[in-house]
Structures are given as C-alpha cells and as structure tokens.
Amino acid sequence: MNNDIDVLHELDGMKSQMALLKKILDGQRIVNERHLRNAIKGGISSLNRHAVKMCIIGIVALVLCTASFLQYGFSKVFIAFTALMFLFCVCATYMQHRNLIVAKGYDSDLVSATFDLVRLKKRYSQWLWIALPMIMLWGIGLIYECLYSFTDKEIAIPFVSGSLVGLVTGGIIGIRIQIRTLRKIEKLLAQIKELKECMTLFILSVLVSAII
C-alpha cells in the first residue's frame, strides 16, 4: 500500500515537473515566435520599400531621359525605345512584388509567404538574362545616336564617354542590389522555415501534454 502511494506521489511530481517545463518552453516559444514574425514582417517591408524606390527612380529616369534626348535631337525611335524600356522595368518590378505588397506581412499564411518569396527569388535570378541584353542594346543605340546627332564631335565624344561610365556604374550597382535582394530573400525563407518548426514543436508539445 505504501509503495502504491509512493508511486502516485512520484507520478504527481513528474506531472508537476512536466507542467513547469511545458510552461517555460511555451514562454520561450512565444518570445521566439514573436521575434521571428516581427523579423519576417520587417524583411518583407524592406523588400517592398526597395521595390517602391526602384519604381520611383525608373519613372524619374523615364521623364528626364525623354526630355534630355528630345532636347538633343535624338531619333524618335530611340526615345520611344528608352521610354518603353524604363516603363517595362517599372511594371516588372511592381509585378514581381505585387503579392508581397498586397499581403502586408503574412500574419498566419506562411505557405503563401514561402510560395511568393520563392517565386520572387526565381524572378530576380532570371532578371539579369533579360536586363543585360536590353541594356547592351540600349547602350549601342545611345552611342549611335550620340555620334550621329551631335554635329560637334567635341561634345559627342565626352557625352558618349560619360554615358558609358554611367551605364557601367549603373550595371554594377544593379548587380549588387540584386545580390543583396537575393540574400534578403534567402534569410526570410530561413526564418519562415524556423517559424514553421517552432509551430510544429508547439503542436507536438500540446499532443504530448494531452496524452500525459
């Protein structure tokens, strides 16, 4: 009889210890989960702000380049191509980030967040194969226009040189931005994976406590 009572006391003690341990782990889980959700929201907001900045820069460049090329007497074909190129870049940037902008944080739908980020990563990875040929074609057209639009070669050569320097510098900056964006996306995907694991452990702990 005394042995049975001792066993019951030991079981009660184990249950108390398990309950205390569960309480501590739940507290740590809540803190960790809140931290991860805030980090994910902050990362997605950062990507969206970057997209908005790029769209604004594209629109400003479209207006300034069009006005400048009209002033220097560039051909209408080249001016139209330039305007369409900037417009395409602005629209492509918005379309790439559209789902992330609309979602505003993904409070609960981690599956959609993962899907949208993976798709965004794929599009950014493929973007150079579209952007580089387009920029090279535009650069060749710019050189041609400069050499044949300026009657004064003393103006044409510095203009072409400055344009090429600006083109190369812009390309390097664009590649660096792309690499940084891809790293941000990778970090967000890792954080979402960690959050999913945290939620899975919580569900398992609830099941274990229910069984006990």
Side-chain angles (χ1 to χ4, degrees), residues 1 6 9 19 28 49 57 66 74 118 120 131 134 141 158 162 182 193 205:
M1 185 66 178
D6 291 339
H9 285 163
Q28 292 177 345
R49 286 194 300 271
I57 291 173
T66 301
F74 285 14
V118 168
L120 182 63
M134 184 169 57
L182 287 171
K193 182 180 178 181
S205 68

Side-chain angles (χ1 to χ4, degrees), residues 100-181:
L100 292 177
I101 294 172
V102 172
K104 295 181 180 179
Y106 298 96
D107 287 330
S108 58
D109 195 353
L110 297 178
V111 175
S112 295
T114 304
F115 177 78
D116 290 336
L117 285 170
V118 168
R119 183 167 56 183
L120 182 63
K121 178 186 174 184
K122 181 180 178 181
R123 288 175 176 174
Y124 263 91
S125 300
Q126 296 173 341
W127 178 244
L128 282 181
W129 299 105
I130 300 172
L132 288 179
M134 184 169 57
I135 291 173
M136 290 176 63
L137 181 62
W138 182 79
I140 293 171
L142 179 63
I143 295 172
Y144 177 85
E145 291 290 333
C146 289
L147 293 176
Y148 286 91
S149 296
F150 290 111
T151 56
D152 190 351
K153 298 304 178 183
E154 291 183 359
I155 299 176
I157 294 175
F159 192 93
V160 171
S161 301
S163 299
L164 289 176
V165 171
L167 197 63
V168 172
T169 304
I172 293 172
I173 293 173
I175 292 172
R176 290 183 64 182
I177 289 174
Q178 187 199 34
I179 293 173
R180 188 162 59 245
T181 301

Side-chain angles (χ1 to χ4, degrees), residues 178-192:
Q178 187 199 34
I179 293 173
R180 188 162 59 245
T181 301
L182 287 171
R183 286 176 180 172
K184 284 184 179 180
I185 294 172
E186 287 283 359
K187 184 177 180 181
L188 281 169
L189 289 172
Q191 289 171 338
I192 290 175

Side-chain angles (χ1 to χ4, degrees), residues 66-83:
T66 301
S68 177
F69 293 158
L70 283 171
Q71 181 182 359
Y72 286 116
F74 285 14
S75 68
K76 293 180 180 179
V77 174
F78 180 74
I79 294 173
F81 177 77
T82 302

